[in-house]
Amino acid sequence: MKTVLNQMLAKYDIHNLEDKRNAIKEVIQEVILCGLSRGDFFKNVAFCGGTALRIFYGLDRFSEDLDFSLISEDEKFRLDKYFTYVENELKSLGLCVVITEVDKTKQSSIKSAFLKANTKEVMIAVYDEEIKNINHNDLIKIKFEIDTTPISFASYETKLRLLPSPYQVKLFDKESLFAGKIHACLCRNWQQRVKGRDLYDYIFFLSMNIKVNLNYLKAKLINSNFIDEKYDLSIDNLKILLNQKFESLDFNEAKKDVLPFIKDKAKIDLWDKDFFIEITKALQGRYIK
């Protein structure tokens, strides 16, 4: 099974301890997806968020969490029933982990869990060497969350992966992922920290000439009480909403947020409100009939 891990790590350009840590986290993320797939998780669940964008569409930044959404209502859905599949998949590769569901103190549609593994033990299991400068209590942590309140008008596709063993994942298509990212740009509470990762992903979508699924975006904005049902979410009005957001952002804080997740620091040199307002002129969208 060590050979499988080596195959998965072969695509990474690793130079230092941080590179090793990030590569291991991403490999574990893919093994989690494989385990979930074995448990028939994706029958009524779709993968979304930054990690979906990185693994399946080539986003060039590291992403920490795994985000999912129910496709249709399921009052009986339980996240913990899939933990055994994930733990067994990782155990088969020599990686010991513990997964625990988060007990919510407030009523929430989001179910969350954390996977934890001892960093030293994982590094030794994968790289066959004692890694210095790691505390023996240091943990690799991966959060995965699922939104149990599905929003209408999302579109999906199925993707295949061959490692650690062949598996299938259902995920939001690129237009729906873009809608989800714009929703985050507009609605995420950035009072404490500007999430530059959202802005970085926004640029990625624009660079790929991906259109926004406007039906899905409008439904999400209504659900978040950002607009009402009568609001005309034309592409021009959407640009106005985004430009208003860009006018209010602290781009120095946005840069600080995204720096640990990218290798090419020069990619964010031009970031300011004028830069984002200019690139937003190219934004395209479509209503799906």
Side-chain angles (χ1 to χ4, degrees):
M1 293 297 100
K2 183 76 178 298
T3 303
V4 173
L5 291 173
N6 289 338
Q7 285 178 276
M8 297 179 75
L9 289 165
K11 64 183 178 182
Y12 293 94
D13 186 17
I14 297 174
H15 299 286
N16 52 46
L17 177 59
E18 194 60 27
D19 289 342
K20 287 184 176 182
R21 188 192 297 267
N22 286 342
I24 284 297
K25 281 185 177 180
E26 289 197 344
V27 165
I28 291 176
Q29 287 173 342
E30 294 198 53
V31 179
I32 290 171
L33 293 175
C34 181
L36 292 172
S37 180
R38 288 190 190 279
D40 211 15
F41 181 75
F42 295 102
K43 184 177 181 179
N44 190 35
V45 175
F47 191 25
C48 54
T51 307
L53 199 58
R54 176 168 177 81
I55 292 175
F56 292 101
Y57 298 118
L59 175 67
D60 60 339
R61 75 162 178 88
F62 174 66
S63 181
E64 292 180 306
D65 306 329
L66 297 170
D67 298 305
F68 307 95
S69 175
L70 284 182
I71 295 170
S72 59
E73 294 282 353
D74 182 0
E75 294 181 357
K76 297 181 180 180
F77 178 83
R78 286 178 48 207
L79 183 57
D80 61 348
K81 69 178 280 190
Y82 300 99
F83 292 172
T84 300
Y85 294 100
V86 173
E87 290 167 344
N88 288 343
E89 199 67 35
L90 285 157
K91 188 176 180 180
S92 73
L93 298 176
L95 302 177
C96 295
V97 304
V98 175
I99 307 174
T100 53
E101 188 164 2
V102 177
D103 290 326
K104 301 285 186 178
T105 55
K106 296 182 180 180
Q107 188 69 23
S108 173
S109 65
I110 306 297
K111 291 184 179 292
S112 306
F114 276 96
L115 179 149
K116 298 178 183 179
N118 183 276
T119 305
K120 269 187 176 293
E121 291 178 3
V122 170
M123 291 290 188
I124 292 171
V126 173
Y127 294 107
D128 269 344
E129 58 179 290
E130 179 70 27
I131 306 295
K132 297 180 180 180
N133 302 322
I134 297 179
N135 188 288
H136 69 280
N137 290 323
D138 189 84
L139 296 174
I140 290 174
K141 298 179 183 179
I142 296 173
K143 179 171 70 172
F144 46 109
E145 294 189 329
I146 177 163
D147 191 338
T148 60
T149 304
I151 305 296
S152 301
F153 303 113
S155 299
Y156 311 97
E157 58 184 323
T158 299
K159 294 280 189 177
L160 278 167
R161 300 288 281 184
L162 298 179
L163 292 173
S165 61
Y167 67 96
Q168 282 187 329
V169 169
K170 185 175 288 184
L171 69 159
F172 284 68
D173 67 9
K174 287 178 282 189
E175 293 182 340
S176 300
L177 283 171
F178 196 9
K181 185 54 60 177
I182 290 179
H183 174 266
C185 288
L186 291 173
C187 297
R188 197 188 297 275
N189 185 352
W190 284 347
Q191 291 179 349
Q192 300 301 318
R193 184 178 70 174
V194 178
K195 197 161 184 182
R197 283 163 280 177
D198 287 338
L199 299 175
Y200 192 89
D201 298 354
Y202 176 73
I203 295 170
F204 176 80
F205 281 108
L206 285 176
S207 72
M208 298 280 285
N209 295 315
I210 297 167
K211 295 180 180 180
V212 185
N213 178 341
L214 291 172
N215 308 66
Y216 180 53
L217 176 57
K218 182 172 182 178
K220 283 183 71 66
L221 291 174
I222 291 170
N223 185 66
S224 297
N225 296 315
F226 189 83
I227 61 173
D228 60 34
E229 292 186 10
K230 296 180 180 179
Y231 186 85
D232 176 21
L233 191 68
S234 65
I235 195 65
D236 289 335
N237 283 340
L238 177 56
K239 290 177 182 179
I240 291 170
L241 293 176
L242 284 164
N243 290 341
Q244 289 172 343
K245 175 62 73 170
F246 299 145
E247 291 278 358
S248 67
L249 292 184
D250 184 333
F251 286 96
N252 287 326
E253 289 300 312
K255 291 178 182 181
K256 289 178 186 177
D257 173 77
V258 78
L259 276 172
F261 300 91
I262 60 175
K263 286 196 171 185
D264 186 357
K265 314 303 183 188
K267 284 195 168 186
I268 62 174
D269 285 349
L270 294 177
W271 281 24
D272 60 20
K273 67 177 183 179
D274 294 329
F275 170 77
F276 277 92
I277 289 172
E278 181 62 30
I279 65 173
T280 296
K281 292 178 181 178
L283 181 66
Q284 301 178 67
R286 71 184 182 99
Y287 275 98
I288 301 170
K289 296 181 180 179

